[in-house]
Amino acid sequence: MRNSQHGRDGEWLYGQGGVGSSAPRVGPYGRTRALMGTATIQVRVLAVAGTRVWVAASGTLCVPTLRTMHYSLCARIVDERTQFYLDLNQVRREDALSPAELPRLLPAGGRLRFHIVGAEPATAAALKTDPRCRAYPDVASAWENWSRQP
């Protein structure tokens, strides 16, 4: 069962729940709070310019939230040439989620491009196995690349 709630400024809060669990809650300043061990992921669109979309995520990446985040990215595809700048600085990968499963995060599409920003080393390495991905160690280097494009 997927619970979602629309937050402020275009952010979407996602949680994975079942019997005895609660939906994510929006706390002060739009932060999410996990109740009763529910893993949550928060996905926000920070900028859009043509076919470029800058998406920041925070929370826990596990099997259920990986699927949820995948669908969130699918919903934000502008056209077949969309470039996602995916800021993962505030995302923690759950140990139970194998790095081999991480490429499932990315939507299908040979012309889509993914700029992975600030991911944990194991996460960045797993995603870079996809030739559509390029990794940046920090926001500044990714923003420099974003700014050079027309």
Side-chain angles (χ1 to χ4, degrees):
M1 175 178 160
R2 184 185 84 175
N3 302 310
S4 68
Q5 179 177 354
H6 190 265
R8 308 181 277 129
D9 302 323
E11 67 188 9
W12 283 91
L13 312 175
Y14 296 100
Q16 211 47 39
V19 175
S21 66
S22 299
R25 302 284 189 247
V26 179
Y29 314 109
R31 294 188 180 131
T32 60
R33 196 164 36 113
L35 299 177
M36 298 176 68
T38 303
T40 60
I41 194 90
Q42 182 178 19
V43 181
R44 300 171 312 278
V45 174
L46 301 182
V48 177
T51 59
R52 291 172 289 153
V53 180
W54 191 293
V55 177
S58 60
T60 303
L61 198 55
C62 58
V63 173
T65 61
L66 178 87
R67 183 177 44 252
T68 302
M69 193 165 169
H70 169 84
Y71 291 127
S72 178
L73 292 174
C74 288
R76 290 170 170 84
I77 294 173
V78 177
D79 73 11
E80 65 182 7
R81 297 168 292 129
T82 299
Q83 293 186 53
F84 284 101
Y85 284 74
L86 187 54
D87 185 344
L88 300 177
N89 276 296
Q90 299 298 316
V91 172
R92 184 188 67 79
R93 182 178 56 85
E94 192 174 76
D95 292 337
L97 180 64
S98 162
E101 296 178 76
L102 289 172
R104 292 186 10 232
L105 172 68
L106 307 175
R111 295 181 69 188
L112 296 175
R113 295 294 175 257
F114 301 92
H115 302 269
I116 309 302
V117 183
E120 297 172 339
T123 300
L127 291 173
K128 282 180 19 182
T129 61
D130 186 320
R132 303 173 300 159
C133 291
R134 180 174 177 188
Y136 298 89
D138 54 39
V139 171
S141 58
W143 185 253
E144 181 180 329
N145 186 58
W146 169 288
S147 300
R148 283 185 293 173
Q149 297 182 34

